[in-house]
Amino acid sequence: MVIDSHQHFWIFDEERDSWITPEMEVIRRNFLPEDLWPVLKANKVDGCVAVQASQTDSETEFLLHLAEANDFVRGVVGWVDLRTVNLYDQLERYSQFEKLKGFRHVAQGQPEGFLLQPEFIKGVGQLVAFDFTYDILIYQNQLKEAYNFAVRLPNVHFVLDHIAKPLIKAQELQPWAEDIRRLAELPNVHCKVSGMVTEANWQHWGKADFRPYLDVVFEAFGTERIMYGSDWPVCLVAGEYEGAKGILTDYLSMFSDDEVRDVMGNNARRFYNLDI
């Protein structure tokens, strides 16, 4: 079973979704399950995990509604204010939703030191009580901070989104590679191979551009802590779903069948405790 561990849905709102700039015209519209399911079927993907794209409680409710109505949406990574004083009560309420698997904050847009705020660390630590996971969304220059954050929370199940957005367009490996290897030393941190095409030259990327980064990630995390994600529909600014998926499936041709199955589905099923 193949699971896309990272994709988004939205009803486009120009003010709320201001991060979708005019140069990203192809995704300045609505994207809903009925748009994704034919794409997944065509690419032999059996299910997906829907991840928050905006930072509101209504976003979590929106994704849970879509997941309830569409069986192929196997899990939801929502948003909640992890610094709020009544967080435990909110998490207790959310724990009633079977398809809600974890939470994410768009930390890539936050000032230096955001992840290390005591109230944020305390909030993320409370996820353990309800078996919720946490997706780490950062830029590559925040990797050292992410390590100092995750090392304080050894019981939380973390996954790094988009391999921390290295400078693929510039073909720069350092200090990203060194920092990735250090983060991977923490056994409770996993990694999504996702979002890579949007860090490359949108019009002129080739599969060879990504190989040095994949080499580092696979060496650091191993096939048991890596999961496939498309980052659909964001990936569409740089190519079709099939092309983005093909970067990883081509790379995996050198691995065993069991390792391929782990990366393309089993790891996501285990990490998010998907009911499949």
Side-chain angles (χ1 to χ4, degrees), residues 13-233:
D13 181 289
E14 190 163 5
E15 182 176 346
R16 183 198 64 195
D17 304 321
S18 58
W19 62 273
I20 306 177
T21 59
E23 65 178 346
M24 305 166 80
E25 182 62 34
V26 68
I27 62 170
R28 290 171 64 85
R29 64 176 182 86
N30 299 347
F31 287 92
L32 294 166
E34 55 264 36
D35 302 302
L36 178 60
W37 181 231
V39 177
L40 295 185
K41 285 195 295 183
N43 286 277
K44 299 180 180 178
V45 178
D46 301 290
C48 64
V49 175
V51 180
Q52 62 86 219
S54 66
Q55 316 237 86
T56 61
D57 294 320
S58 61
E59 170 80 345
T60 305
E61 303 291 343
F62 168 68
L63 294 178
L64 286 171
H65 173 74
L66 295 181
E68 182 65 28
N70 297 273
D71 288 342
F72 74 90
V73 183
R74 306 289 187 170
V76 167
V77 175
W79 182 89
V80 68
D81 185 355
L82 291 160
R83 295 171 291 177
T84 189
V85 293
N86 68 335
L87 176 63
Y88 190 91
D89 293 339
Q90 292 191 47
L91 295 178
E92 190 171 41
R93 180 178 70 84
Y94 277 133
S95 69
Q96 301 170 37
F97 295 89
E98 186 177 340
K99 285 193 174 182
L100 186 57
K101 304 301 181 180
F103 294 93
R104 183 178 83 155
H105 192 94
V106 184
Q108 69 176 26
Q110 297 295 337
E112 182 179 352
F114 174 83
L115 293 174
L116 301 180
Q117 297 176 95
E119 61 269 30
F120 191 75
I121 291 174
K122 179 182 177 182
V124 174
Q126 291 187 62
L127 299 179
V128 176
F130 301 96
D131 293 324
F132 286 132
T133 63
Y134 182 80
D135 272 53
I136 302 173
L137 177 62
I138 54 170
Y139 291 125
Q140 56 106 28
N141 64 302
Q142 296 171 287
L143 275 165
K144 289 184 176 65
E145 181 177 321
Y147 175 86
N148 291 327
F149 164 65
V151 79
R152 288 166 165 78
L153 295 160
N155 296 319
V156 177
H157 294 294
F158 291 108
V159 61
L160 178 68
D161 291 348
H162 312 327
I163 66 172
K165 300 192 170 185
L167 303 178
I168 298 173
K169 184 176 181 180
Q171 286 292 284
E172 292 183 14
L173 273 175
Q174 298 296 352
W176 170 84
E178 179 183 345
D179 293 336
I180 278 283
R181 292 187 181 105
R182 186 169 183 238
L183 183 63
E185 291 173 1
L186 303 177
N188 59 319
V189 180
H190 293 61
C191 184
K192 289 183 183 178
V193 173
S194 58
M196 295 190 303
V197 291
T198 48
E199 302 309 311
N201 185 312
W202 292 358
Q203 285 76 40
H204 301 289
W205 58 264
K207 290 178 181 176
D209 297 337
F210 306 98
R211 181 167 291 272
Y213 300 92
L214 290 170
D215 285 344
V216 170
V217 166
F218 274 80
E219 176 193 347
F221 285 95
T223 55
E224 67 276 7
R225 286 191 288 147
I226 290 174
M227 59 189 84
Y228 159 67
S230 68
D231 199 27
W232 181 95

